[in-house]
Amino acid sequence: MKIRMERIGKTQRAAACLYLLVAGLIGLIVNPPASAQTPLQDSVPIVSNVGQGEWEYYFIDVYDWNAKAGWGVRSLNAGNADIYVRLGSLPDLNNWDYRSNTNKKAERILAHESSAPPLESGRYYVGIYGKSAVRYGVGAKRFTEASSKTGMGSIPYSGGTTFRVWAPNATKVYVAGDFNGWSQATSPLVSEGNGNWSVDFRNATINQQYKYVIWNGSSQLWKNDARAQQVTASNGNTVIADPRFDWTDDLYSTPAWNDLVIYEMHVGTFNDTYGGLPGDFDNVILKLDYLQDLGINAIEVMPVNEFPGDFSWGYNMSHPFAIESVYGGSQAYKRFVNAAHVRGIAILQDVVFNHYGPTDLDLWQYDGWHQNFMGGIFFYNDERASTPWGDTRPDYGRSEVRQYIRDNSLFWLEDYHADGLRVDGTSWIRSVYGGGSYELPDGWSLMQWINNEVDARQGWKFIVAEDMQNNAWMTKTTGAGGAGFDSQWSAQFVHPIRSNIITSVDSNRNMWEVRDAISQRYNSDAFERIIFTESHDEVANGKMRVPEEIWPGNSGSWYSRKRSTLGAALVMTSPGVPMIFQGQEILENGYFADNDPIDWSKLNTYSGIHTLYSDLIKLRRNWYDNTRGLRGQNLNVHHVNDTDKVIAFHRWDTGGNGDDVIVILNMSNKTYPEYIIGFPSGGTWQVRFNSDSSIYSGDYGNYGSSSVNAVSGQWDGMPYNGALSIGPYSAMILSKD
């Protein structure tokens, strides 16, 4: 007998296999007669006799990983037998789950998840009923198949979980977990022929733990899921994560990019106390109202992937898809994002693609294959693997690794509703040595692909590069050959501004450097740069908070307060997307460490400084509809006085009252009672902000004009001019009603 099996589906193939099994019973001699409950084995038929109106019974156990089960009977003489199948108890003519009672010589049943009823796990009893006395053969087969469902990792479905893992060099793969008593050899995955192994596993449920048992020849490896969304610890087990969440952010929309004011945050230290475990997402939620009141509308969250131990900056991730368990895991992260969105606050997630690990890294030699004693399938296995953080640079040229990183990017944006990404150390993605020689074209094309994908799917999401190499190509469009990022951190702002406000000698301040920092932009777009004076990198690694740098050990001094807030004024009024680092607004001192929480008592000690930051942020966002120009593209640094250390510039969008903004900074310890600068139009210009106001500190001089009358007359290349008074180390912001 020949049966054509090409071009038929899995169910048809299973039925064909069962047909062959039953058909093959002809002439088969099997001596033992069937007892009341004789076990059946896969593809091992049994021959017996049954009288007219009588039953003989068999059983076979169907396991959670069996996608299908089939049973068949064939009459071997002139008589006729029917087959009945029932889960958990013996079938009869009135009680059965499946039956075949035609008058054919061969009767067959195939059960699967779409059957009526669907196939379940457990003991199935098979009854052979003699319509007449008959000699018959009975057989059964259980089928374990690759999953037809989509997705990688563990994907829960109604009644079970799909497991799929990429292990191209594995010779066999099993899943072991809470659902099978952690058996290492009973629950196989099936090769899909493309490097992936998969299986649908009934009764594997959310919150159960598991690992893969991967065999490479005679070598056995226990591995966490490379796409684990939840783990018990960095060196623990994978948890089947619950994808469900009751989002309530339907009415939320990401703020316009020119309206963003970013607050960089480290979850573990933002709202915590000394001792014990670090802070978590629920602690952060408690202070979201505070950030909203401050005027913040975007939080850049330092990496929150699972890392070794409980304390970390987050850049040493062990599991790229898993949320740090000590922070609360995936459900807590969703609560945090949702709570932020309800308050109109965007979430920009910091992600790391330039390396993984290097410790507690299950991705390392994942399926046992490697070259040169290096990392195996997820990593380069030559000198391109080398980074400052170990030989753990992903292989950007391998399609499966590219897909892994692309999927991770979209995972944050789509599954977790993040509003954007800050991609860490992109210079280490596009080149082996972090810029300059030995470029990695595959890294460049990977960044282009991800940015194109985001633009096509959710074009309003804000993707930021931390490249720090003054590379305009990072934010050029991919069509022009650029990497396609929306913005990038600006080293050309932070470094000259920090140095010019930190130096203790006024004559050392270089106002031309300040001018260049204010004016610098990429590709003629003000918002292609993120500007700041403090970030996690700038206040650690041998550097400190700006007030501490100004006067080490006396960060609360008049000088530290005055000059650090000059930097804040420049951040909020210069073209760009402004960012502050957590605690900056309350004059946090020292340096950033992952075990040193923000000292929130400083909110009382320096309440005036907090008010100053809030006032600046609200002016930057045009809160009162009289400083629209601070959200615009246009800039004219029209006054640079390097002798007296004064600088002034004009900001505008479309121009006119409520739009044109003049900013003046006195970066010397001098008072100027009548300082003349140019104005774009005549009339009364109101002072919207004066950093020397006593509302910001009782020891400030409260010196400076409340308004300026601009009169006709060329000055600084402007058609009008006006005289104002300004205090020492002070900034003023003016606009017209």
Side-chain angles (χ1 to χ4, degrees):
M1 178 180 295
K2 294 183 179 179
I3 297 180
R4 293 180 62 84
M5 298 187 64
E6 59 269 27
R7 298 182 181 175
I8 60 177
K10 290 183 178 179
T11 300
Q12 294 170 296
R13 287 197 297 271
C17 291
L18 186 61
Y19 183 84
L20 288 172
L21 170 66
V22 176
L25 291 167
I26 299 174
L28 181 68
I29 299 175
V30 178
N31 294 323
S35 65
Q37 294 182 29
T38 301
L40 293 171
Q41 299 179 41
D42 286 327
S43 303
V44 180
I46 293 175
V47 174
S48 188
N49 301 287
V50 64
Q52 183 176 3
E54 295 179 352
W55 289 87
E56 286 195 340
Y57 289 101
Y58 305 83
F59 71 86
I60 191 168
D61 292 325
V62 172
Y63 299 110
D64 288 330
W65 54 91
N66 295 141
K68 300 181 179 73
W71 304 271
V73 63
R74 184 175 182 86
S75 301
L76 301 178
N77 56 19
N80 187 262
D82 292 336
I83 184 169
Y84 292 74
V85 179
R86 188 179 185 189
L87 176 64
S89 56
L90 299 178
D92 56 41
L93 294 177
N94 297 312
N95 299 283
W96 43 268
D97 291 319
Y98 315 103
R99 72 174 180 177
S100 183
N101 61 348
T102 69
N103 291 318
K104 296 179 180 179
K105 298 288 285 183
E107 311 273 6
R108 300 187 303 277
I109 297 169
L110 183 66
H112 44 81
E113 67 174 12
S114 299
S115 302
L119 183 69
E120 298 181 44
S121 302
R123 177 159 291 182
Y124 279 86
Y125 291 90
V126 181
I128 305 300
Y129 177 70
K131 286 184 175 179
S132 58
V134 62
R135 183 170 177 80
Y136 67 89
V138 62
K141 184 169 177 60
R142 295 161 295 192
F143 300 88
T144 301
E145 297 178 343
S147 175
S148 61
K149 298 178 174 64
T150 60
M152 297 292 294
S154 54
I155 308 103
Y157 61 87
S158 178
T161 297
T162 298
F163 296 97
R164 180 174 282 109
V165 62
W166 178 54
N169 299 288
T171 50
K172 51 188 175 179
V173 179
Y174 297 87
V175 63
D178 292 337
F179 36 75
N180 66 357
W182 288 93
S183 172
Q184 61 181 296
T186 60
S187 307
L189 279 69
V190 178
S191 173
E192 297 179 356
N194 59 0
N196 292 334
W197 299 71
S198 67
V199 73
D200 292 330
F201 200 113
R202 286 183 300 278
N203 301 314
T205 60
I206 288 166
N207 293 326
Q208 288 186 316
Q209 300 177 27
Y210 70 97
K211 277 190 173 181
Y212 294 121
V213 183
I214 298 174
W215 286 87
N216 185 318
S218 61
S219 297
Q220 183 193 67
L221 304 164
W222 285 74
K223 291 289 188 177
N224 277 294
D225 199 319
R227 299 211 183 204
Q229 296 180 31
Q230 184 177 341
V231 293
T232 58
S234 61
N235 57 356
N237 301 321
T238 304
V239 179
I240 301 174
D242 189 348
R244 300 167 299 181
F245 186 77
D246 185 18
W247 293 97
T248 60
D249 62 352
D250 293 346
L251 299 179
Y252 165 83
S253 60
T254 303
W257 297 353
N258 68 340
D259 189 43
L260 290 173
V261 177
I262 301 172
Y263 190 92
E264 189 185 10
M265 174 189 294
H266 177 256
V267 171
T269 56
F270 173 65
N271 187 25
D272 190 32
T273 56
Y274 283 100
L277 294 174
D280 57 25
F281 294 118
D282 290 330
N283 296 136
V284 174
I285 291 172
L286 295 175
K287 289 196 78 68
L288 288 178
D289 288 340
Y290 160 82
L291 293 176
Q292 183 184 32
D293 292 341
L294 181 62
I296 295 297
N297 64 355
I299 300 171
E300 182 183 296
V301 188
M302 291 173 64
V304 295
N305 302 94
E306 190 74 30
F307 49 72
D310 294 330
F311 295 89
S312 174
W313 286 22
Y315 296 94
N316 58 330
M317 66 176 65
S318 297
H319 301 277
F321 282 83
I323 304 292
E324 171 58 42
S325 51
V326 78
Y327 291 166
S330 59
Q331 290 293 311
Y333 184 80
K334 291 177 182 177
R335 288 196 300 272
F336 159 61
V337 175
N338 191 68
H341 283 177
V342 168
R343 293 163 174 81
I345 300 174
I347 299 300
L348 309 176
Q349 183 57 57
D350 200 342
V351 293
V352 183
F353 301 142
N354 54 36
H355 74 286
Y356 292 135
T359 56
D360 289 355
L361 188 59
D362 267 32
L363 297 182
W364 187 261
Q365 298 181 5
Y366 193 73
D367 66 359
W369 175 87
H370 62 90
Q371 290 179 331
N372 304 317
F373 304 101
M374 288 193 172
I377 59 174
F378 281 95
F379 305 95
Y380 287 117
N381 286 261
D382 54 27
E383 69 278 359
R384 292 173 294 176
S386 177
T387 76
W389 311 280
D391 294 336
T392 57
R393 178 179 283 112
D395 184 348
Y396 307 129
R398 188 162 191 167
S399 61
E400 295 89 348
V401 178
R402 292 169 68 88
Q403 188 75 40
Y404 183 82
I405 297 172
R406 173 263 191 195
D407 291 353
N408 187 265
S409 301
L410 298 180
F411 175 70
W412 295 104
L413 301 174
E414 298 180 358
D415 293 62
Y416 283 127
H417 290 205
D419 298 88
L421 305 173
R422 180 262 192 191
V423 183
D424 180 67
T426 53
S427 64
W428 296 94
I429 297 174
R430 59 183 177 86
S431 67
V432 172
Y433 302 121
S437 61
Y438 208 158
E439 294 182 350
L440 292 169
D442 289 329
W444 186 265
S445 66
L446 172 63
M447 294 188 292
Q448 290 179 314
W449 181 37
I450 291 170
N451 287 321
N452 284 339
E453 285 281 281
V454 175
D455 287 344
R457 299 163 72 104
Q458 295 181 318
W460 64 92
K461 298 291 175 84
F462 192 55
I463 312 301
V464 178
E466 188 237 358
D467 200 77
M468 304 301 280
Q469 301 291 314
N470 195 27
N471 186 347
W473 287 95
M474 296 304 299
T475 45
K476 285 187 178 182
T477 65
T478 58
F485 286 93
D486 300 312
S487 193
Q488 61 177 305
W489 280 23
S490 175
Q492 280 57 49
F493 182 90
V494 60
H495 296 153
I497 295 302
R498 274 180 67 99
S499 66
N500 277 287
I501 60 177
I502 287 171
T503 183
S504 60
V505 180
D506 285 352
S507 61
N508 289 339
R509 295 183 222 290
N510 187 327
M511 304 310 293
W512 300 108
E513 288 183 355
V514 174
R515 180 204 61 177
D516 292 346
I518 295 169
S519 304
Q520 183 264 342
R521 61 178 66 192
Y522 299 107
N523 307 308
S524 302
D525 187 341
F527 304 105
E528 287 189 10
R529 67 172 189 166
I530 309 295
I531 56 176
F532 52 92
T533 59
E534 289 192 1
S535 71
H536 68 274
D537 279 327
E538 298 297 335
V539 298
N541 298 319
K543 294 177 281 188
M544 295 182 290
R545 300 272 190 166
V546 171
E548 193 77 29
E549 294 274 12
I550 291 171
W551 194 332
N554 195 8
S555 60
S557 68
W558 182 88
Y559 292 97
S560 292
R561 284 179 278 124
K562 285 293 254 176
R563 298 214 301 272
S564 67
T565 53
L566 279 180
L570 284 167
V571 166
M572 294 300 163
T573 59
S574 298
V577 178
M579 182 179 76
I580 63 174
F581 186 60
Q582 62 175 29
Q584 184 175 346
E585 76 281 8
I586 57 172
L587 216 73
E588 185 64 294
N589 63 342
Y591 59 88
F592 167 68
D594 55 34
N595 61 353
D596 184 10
I598 296 295
D599 179 5
W600 286 107
S601 71
K602 289 186 173 68
L603 181 56
N604 293 322
T605 306
Y606 302 112
S607 59
I609 299 299
H610 171 268
T611 301
L612 180 150
Y613 272 87
S614 182
D615 288 349
L616 281 171
I617 291 169
K618 290 170 182 176
L619 289 170
R620 169 61 179 78
R621 294 186 57 200
N622 192 33
W623 204 277
Y624 310 108
D625 197 28
N626 55 18
T627 52
R628 286 192 302 277
L630 294 180
R631 297 175 51 179
Q633 287 279 359
N634 298 302
L635 167 74
N636 177 18
V637 183
H638 62 288
H639 184 93
V640 181
N641 183 345
D642 194 44
T643 302
D644 295 320
K645 308 305 178 187
V646 177
I647 192 167
F649 52 95
H650 174 205
R651 293 290 314 282
W652 74 100
D653 182 17
T654 58
N657 292 358
D659 188 298
D660 285 311
V661 176
I662 292 293
V663 181
I664 181 170
L665 293 96
N666 175 14
M667 299 185 70
S668 73
N669 190 13
K670 295 179 182 178
T671 297
Y672 295 105
E674 190 171 331
Y675 197 94
I676 301 174
I677 60 171
F679 286 85
S681 63
T684 303
W685 289 74
Q686 302 293 338
V687 174
R688 310 298 184 184
F689 172 84
N690 178 4
S691 67
D692 199 48
S693 171
S694 59
I695 65 173
Y696 302 135
S697 183
D699 59 353
Y700 286 3
N702 208 33
Y703 191 83
S705 306
S706 60
S707 64
V708 176
N709 182 39
V711 298
S712 180
Q714 288 283 331
W715 201 277
D716 297 330
M718 296 279 203
Y720 296 86
N721 71 83
L724 53 78
S725 55
I726 185 168
Y729 297 135
S730 296
M732 299 174 71
I733 301 172
L734 302 90
S735 69
K736 294 174 68 175
D737 291 329

